[in-house]
Amino acid sequence: MAKTATLKIDDQELELPVIIGSEGEKAVDVRKLRSTTGYITYDEGYGNTGSCQSEITYIDGEAGILRYRGYPIEQLAEGFSFEDVSYLVIYGELPTPEQSAEFSARLRNEAPIREGMVRFVQGFPRGAHPMAVLSSSLNALGAYHSQMASNNHERDLKHFDEAAAIAMAKVRTIAAHSYRVVRGKPLNYPRPDLDYSENFLHLMFSEPYEEYKATPEVASAINLFLLLHAEHEQNCSTSTVRMVASAGANLFASTSAGVSALWGPLHGGANQAVLEMLNTIHANGDDGSRFIEAAKDGKARLMGFGHRVYKNYDPRAKIIKGSFDKALESLGITDDPLLDIARRLEAAALSDDYFISRKLYPNVDFYSGLIMNALKIPVDMFTVMFAIGRMPGWIAQWHEVASNPKSRINRPRQVYMGPVPRDVM
Ligand code: ACO
């Protein structure tokens, strides 16, 4: 017999269905609650709210488990390319060699952006934050590919493969263009002979007088970074993508909204905030201990620590940390004051009762900020890199909403606490 939960309220007893996920996650289905009892659930911050059923990613935050389409992140991080992992996230299976070649070819073909878009990106002022450029430009892509941005899911889904390739390929080109535009540098054009990560580095760092040549270590560190960020179920930006999609919006508009959500320092902006925090600690002549005390007193926040879902080591942080020393060695970085501070902060936080009792472990942003700094990626590009990595996840989540015939517009309720009726006069 199907399991139910019983709610007793106002002398009324209500049997609520229980939904069990494929990994045993349990949810009480409250969809009939308001129409039957007049009550709604209250869950500010949505810590206990399941907003959808999804087949893409499984996370067990207590156990530190992350799987894309059933595959453990640790296995995918061992030698898979970001392109193949993106294919897995978007289409549900790892690609065959033929599918992989076809997908790569599509990404290569879609890498350049139209000249009109180039002018659009060039129109942003110097000093603009690349996340602002990225979010606006992704939305503008819909104007250049209007046949797949009709805001009619049935019609847009007919062009899904093409739209997905455009979003994946062009997010990287736009990101690199935004980096160069806001610094007044000439733009580079994508090279068809390079893979996804190498092409990104070329678009960012090649100069008219000198072609950038990525070392295998740097290209593979970028590949790992992107792959670890590819998908993470219903976080703030992904929920935003689904929210916008639920209204019928197209892929470009929905992912553009995702970029805006990701920009926030409590979410994707944390990797930038980690580096800024380390620089401030260093500039203040602190070895990290004063900052830890300030964090414990509620006067500062230890950026890169804590997570809404992980109450254990973030598995992505573990993987990045594992490859960190190797990458530093290959880059010839042995001595760095920011690294020393980071290591001290980590050691202190992992042994201090304040952090232990609150289960505040380093998250992926703590190490990714440091790695990108070592790779000479400018600080204001850190969150942009996150957005490039997260694109396959957003695409897959948009597809789940758009292709679900039972999908409804997302529209939470509220508990009104404002004035009761009163007269103006
Ligand atoms: N430094 C110091 N104290 C912290 C931190 C931190 N980084 N994070 C949480 N706490 C404390 C809170 O003050 C609170 O203490 P209290 O119980 O005494 O009031 C307790 O831990 C619980 O914290 P909440 O803010 O309720 O946790 P929540 O789940 O709402 O927030 C979040 C999670 C936003 C990630 C938070 O831990 C944080 O701000 N971390 C720093 C920013 C960061 O690294 N964000 C990246 C997240 S990963 C990602 O988006 C890819």
Side-chain angles (χ1 to χ4, degrees), residues 146-209:
S146 51
Q147 76 282 17
M148 53 195 84
S150 70
N151 283 357
N152 172 312
H153 282 163
E154 215 178 304
R155 278 208 296 276
D156 290 349
L157 281 171
K158 290 194 179 121
H159 302 280
F160 176 70
D161 292 344
E162 210 185 329
I166 287 173
M168 279 231 17
K170 295 194 196 311
V171 68
R172 167 198 51 181
T173 311
I174 294 168
H177 283 0
S178 73
Y179 160 77
R180 296 190 64 86
V181 161
V182 302
R183 286 165 177 80
K185 286 171 175 277
L187 303 186
N188 293 313
Y189 285 81
R191 275 181 40 188
D193 56 317
L194 299 178
D195 76 15
Y196 195 93
S197 303
E198 290 165 340
N199 227 334
F200 172 71
L201 290 161
H202 152 72
L203 284 163
M204 288 274 290
F205 297 126
S206 282
E207 299 298 345
Y209 48 87

Side-chain angles (χ1 to χ4, degrees), residues 80-403:
F80 279 91
S81 72
F82 172 60
E83 291 179 33
D84 283 356
V85 170
S86 299
Y87 186 99
L88 167 72
V89 168
I90 296 172
Y91 294 107
E93 295 296 339
L94 281 164
T96 61
E98 294 73 32
Q99 287 167 331
S100 172
E102 197 191 316
F103 188 57
S104 295
R106 227 184 283 145
L107 295 185
R108 266 199 308 280
N109 290 340
E110 293 297 349
I113 56 174
R114 300 216 185 137
E115 282 307 314
M117 271 294 289
V118 171
R119 285 195 293 280
F120 177 80
V121 175
Q122 279 171 329
F124 283 90
R126 278 194 191 198
H129 196 289
M131 284 297 272
V133 181
L134 186 64
S135 173
S136 321
S137 306
L138 272 178
N139 206 357
L141 269 184
Y144 289 89
H145 302 277
S146 51
Q147 76 282 17
M148 53 195 84
S150 70
N151 283 357
N152 172 312
H153 282 163
E154 215 178 304
R155 278 208 296 276
D156 290 349
L157 281 171
K158 290 194 179 121
H159 302 280
F160 176 70
D161 292 344
E162 210 185 329
I166 287 173
M168 279 231 17
K170 295 194 196 311
V171 68
R172 167 198 51 181
T173 311
I174 294 168
H177 283 0
S178 73
Y179 160 77
R180 296 190 64 86
V181 161
V182 302
R183 286 165 177 80
K185 286 171 175 277
L187 303 186
N188 293 313
Y189 285 81
R191 275 181 40 188
D193 56 317
L194 299 178
D195 76 15
Y196 195 93
S197 303
E198 290 165 340
N199 227 334
F200 172 71
L201 290 161
H202 152 72
L203 284 163
M204 288 274 290
F205 297 126
S206 282
E207 299 298 345
Y209 48 87
E210 193 176 15
E211 187 71 16
Y212 178 88
K213 286 211 171 44
T215 64
E217 289 83 7
V218 170
S220 98
I222 296 284
N223 182 70
L224 180 68
F225 171 90
L226 296 175
L227 179 160
L228 291 178
H229 285 80
E231 172 42 30
H232 212 236
E233 54 116 302
Q234 305 313 317
N235 52 76
C236 179
S237 56
T238 302
S239 297
T240 302
V241 169
R242 287 188 81 117
M243 170 76 84
V244 177
S246 80
N250 66 74
L251 178 71
F252 305 110
S254 304
T255 52
S256 155
V259 170
S260 299
L262 188 74
W263 193 1
L266 296 186
H267 188 17
N271 52 19
Q272 172 170 349
V274 166
L275 211 77
E276 287 164 356
M277 172 188 77
L278 294 174
N279 275 318
T280 308
I281 292 173
H282 184 50
N284 290 342
D286 178 11
D287 67 354
S289 33
R290 290 210 309 267
F291 195 85
I292 290 265
E293 288 312 309
K296 285 161 59 179
D297 287 345
K299 294 189 187 115
R301 195 147 266 237
L302 195 49
M303 301 312 283
F305 275 74
H307 197 278
R308 172 58 63 81
V309 176
Y310 293 120
K311 300 302 169 199
N312 200 321
Y313 232 102
D314 179 338
R316 302 164 301 172
K318 242 187 207 165
I319 295 169
I320 283 214
K321 190 182 177 200
S323 67
F324 192 43
D325 290 335
K326 219 166 66 188
L328 289 182
E329 200 182 313
S330 83
L331 291 163
I333 301 171
T334 47
D335 191 22
D336 179 345
L338 295 192
L339 262 178
D340 293 343
I341 294 172
R343 287 187 176 124
R344 262 197 299 275
L345 286 182
E346 185 194 6
L350 291 176
S351 59
D352 191 302
D353 190 52
Y354 174 91
F355 296 92
I356 294 170
S357 63
R358 289 169 180 75
K359 300 189 170 133
L360 299 171
Y361 289 85
N363 59 48
V364 67
D365 290 320
F366 190 66
Y367 298 104
S368 62
L370 286 165
I371 290 227
M372 280 189 287
N373 191 45
L375 296 178
K376 307 246 176 322
I377 305 280
V379 176
D380 62 354
M381 285 297 288
F382 287 9
T383 317
V384 173
M385 297 281 300
F386 189 157
I388 299 173
R390 185 52 54 82
M391 187 52 83
W394 290 336
I395 292 170
Q397 300 274 352
W398 180 88
H399 188 267
E400 255 189 7
V401 175
S403 60

Side-chain angles (χ1 to χ4, degrees), residues 20-26 54-74 76 88-89 231-234 309-310 314-316 397 400:
I20 313 275
S22 57
E23 290 277 359
E25 277 183 316
K26 302 182 283 286
S54 177
E55 298 178 1
I56 305 167
T57 293
Y58 175 68
I59 298 177
D60 180 338
E62 274 72 31
I65 289 172
L66 168 63
R67 298 186 198 125
Y68 299 162
R69 304 281 189 182
Y71 294 115
I73 190 68
E74 293 78 8
L76 295 171
L88 167 72
V89 168
E231 172 42 30
H232 212 236
E233 54 116 302
Q234 305 313 317
V309 176
Y310 293 120
D314 179 338
R316 302 164 301 172
Q397 300 274 352
E400 255 189 7

Side-chain angles (χ1 to χ4, degrees), residues 11-32:
D11 301 327
Q12 201 182 350
E13 209 167 284
L14 179 65
E15 289 289 306
L16 295 164
V18 166
I19 298 173
I20 313 275
S22 57
E23 290 277 359
E25 277 183 316
K26 302 182 283 286
V28 179
D29 180 348
V30 295
R31 280 177 292 179
K32 294 262 164 20

